[in-house]
Amino acid sequence: MKSPSNPDLELRGKLIRSLGSLREMLPGSFVERKRSCGQPNCRCSDGKNLHSQFQISVLVDGKPKALSIPAGLAEKVREKIEMRRRFDSAAATICRLNLKRFLEEKEAR
Ligand SMILES: [Zn+2]
């Protein structure tokens, strides 16, 4: 049974429950590149108003890949990649709490 007054267990439970909302997470990092399209009359021809090109930089079967993201999906993908960061952070905190509990249990023997 969990003791409701233990702040470590409360934090661990809260983190575990938050993981479900991260189920759409994606690996890799979100990359935004600026480029010109090469058309002389385009707004990008001044070299300042460049086009944004979005990519996921990710390892696929151990090999680095840059996967292009359609502009309409860029925000969604950015959020999903951010989810992975939060997932890793939650996992690290849970492991830290559990290690502390292990050491306490060991001491008590
Ligand atoms: Zn252009």
Side-chain angles (χ1 to χ4, degrees):
M1 290 298 287
K2 76 169 191 178
S3 101
S5 60
N6 185 323
D8 284 354
L9 289 183
E10 274 176 35
L11 175 58
R12 189 178 69 177
K14 200 179 127 221
L15 289 168
I16 289 287
R17 287 189 297 277
S18 77
L19 296 183
S21 68
L22 306 176
R23 64 188 172 277
E24 297 289 342
M25 64 185 170
L26 282 170
S29 44
F30 185 90
V31 178
E32 179 174 0
R33 291 188 192 289
K34 300 283 191 183
R35 62 176 192 92
S36 75
C37 66
Q39 291 179 41
N41 295 323
C42 184
R43 64 173 167 88
C44 70
S45 62
D46 65 359
K48 287 176 191 152
N49 290 304
L50 298 172
H51 302 275
S52 285
Q53 194 180 29
F54 304 100
Q55 293 174 333
I56 304 176
S57 172
V58 64
L59 291 177
V60 179
D61 298 329
K63 291 179 194 132
K65 302 266 183 192
L67 309 174
S68 67
I69 307 168
L73 290 177
E75 261 324 294
K76 214 181 268 185
V77 169
R78 190 202 295 270
E79 282 167 23
K80 289 178 179 187
I81 290 172
E82 169 65 16
M83 285 178 190
R84 169 63 181 275
R85 201 195 55 73
R86 282 156 54 201
F87 183 90
D88 287 349
S89 163
T93 301
I94 290 165
C95 285
R96 185 172 53 76
L97 294 174
N98 286 343
L99 184 62
K100 184 180 161 204
R101 289 170 58 75
F102 164 72
L103 293 172
E104 284 167 359
E105 191 184 356
K106 204 164 72 103
E107 275 301 300
R109 282 185 181 248

